[in-house]
Amino acid sequence: MSKDSGGSQTATTSIDPQIKEQYLRNLEQAKSVAGGLGVQQFAGFNPLYAAGEEQLVNLGLKPFTGEDIQQFMNPYEQQVIQNTLGDIEQSRQMAALQNAQQATAAKAFGGSRYGVQQSLTDQAALQQAAKTAAQMRQAGYGTAAQLAMNARNLGMQGAQTVLGLGGARQQLEQARLDAARNIGLQKLGVVQGALGLQPANVGGITTQPTYRNQAAGALGGAAAGYQLGGPVGAGIGGLIGLLG
């Protein structure tokens, strides 16, 4: 409570009993939630994640060997090579027959010139056969090697996909564990948010002045009157302040 020359003023501040009760109840709830809050749990590795990781490690660390390539070799490659060599041999025989016919027509069959021509024909056929077989085997090996590499890359991509699916399921499980652990904190946060809403004019009571200090008013009027008119003015001002 305070007093001045113009009167008195009383101000009283109090907390709404219902809000106070709810605040204390919320405080007890916070203590209960804090006391019952369990240790944070972490989701274990999902089986898909573990399988994808294992496959990725195995493929990444496994050397790329000839056995991997052999698995993708064309099983009909040898048959194709033999057929091609058979065509070359047939062409050689036809060339040899043509050489013999020409030598016979020239009455030189069995001569040295015929022998040289036949030898050149045979040599060309052998060279073509060897070159063709080598090229076909090299092409087959290169194709098998590329297929084997593609298969490994596809396997690693598949493992990464499985790894991602397992990781997503693991994150979902982790979110479920976190939600179960934090349900008390979420409820507490809702209550705290509601308590933060302040109603208008809650807890404040103000009382305006209840009486007038006449003596102080007279003295104030006399002082003002004296400044304006000396003793006479002081008397008039005091009378006015007493009546006012």
Side-chain angles (χ1 to χ4, degrees):
M1 181 183 296
S2 63
K3 294 182 180 180
D4 55 26
S5 61
S8 67
Q9 183 177 3
T10 303
T12 303
T13 303
S14 61
I15 299 176
D16 188 291
Q18 293 182 348
I19 294 180
K20 181 179 180 181
E21 180 183 359
Q22 182 60 41
Y23 174 81
L24 294 176
R25 185 159 54 244
N26 186 51
L27 183 60
E28 291 301 321
Q29 182 181 355
K31 293 180 180 180
S32 177
V33 170
L37 195 64
V39 178
Q40 185 174 2
Q41 296 181 348
F42 295 93
F45 286 123
N46 185 273
L48 285 177
Y49 184 92
E53 183 182 42
E54 181 179 2
Q55 182 179 358
L56 198 61
V57 171
N58 291 337
L59 291 176
L61 297 180
K62 180 182 177 182
F64 194 74
T65 63
E67 295 181 358
D68 300 317
I69 299 176
Q70 191 64 35
Q71 295 177 1
F72 292 89
M73 292 293 293
N74 186 354
Y76 302 103
E77 178 180 293
Q78 187 62 30
Q79 181 178 351
V80 174
I81 293 176
Q82 292 299 328
N83 291 338
T84 303
L85 294 180
D87 293 339
I88 295 175
E89 174 61 19
Q90 185 177 1
S91 297
R92 186 196 68 79
Q93 292 177 1
M94 291 178 63
L97 179 60
Q98 185 177 4
N99 291 336
Q101 291 175 348
Q102 292 176 352
T104 301
K107 299 181 180 181
F109 183 80
S112 60
R113 185 176 180 181
Y114 167 75
V116 171
Q117 184 66 31
Q118 186 62 35
S119 176
L120 292 176
T121 300
D122 294 342
Q123 182 179 0
L126 289 175
Q127 289 178 349
Q128 183 180 1
K131 183 178 180 180
T132 301
Q135 290 177 344
M136 294 181 68
R137 287 191 172 92
Q138 182 179 5
Y141 187 86
T143 300
Q146 187 62 48
L147 291 175
M149 181 62 70
N150 293 341
R152 172 166 292 195
N153 291 336
L154 289 175
M156 295 185 70
Q157 292 177 6
Q160 291 175 347
T161 301
V162 173
L163 194 69
L165 291 175
R169 292 190 178 185
Q170 183 176 336
Q171 292 177 359
L172 182 62
E173 177 63 18
Q174 183 63 52
R176 187 189 68 81
L177 293 175
D178 292 341
R181 179 178 183 267
N182 298 331
I183 184 64
L185 295 175
Q186 293 178 356
K187 292 180 179 179
L188 186 62
V190 173
V191 177
Q192 289 176 340
L195 291 177
L197 301 176
Q198 295 294 335
N201 298 328
V202 174
I205 301 175
T206 302
T207 303
Q208 298 297 328
T210 57
Y211 68 93
R212 180 175 178 79
N213 192 333
Q214 295 179 346
L219 290 174
Y226 182 81
Q227 293 179 356
L228 296 175
V232 177
I236 295 174
L239 180 60
I240 294 174
L242 180 62
L243 297 177

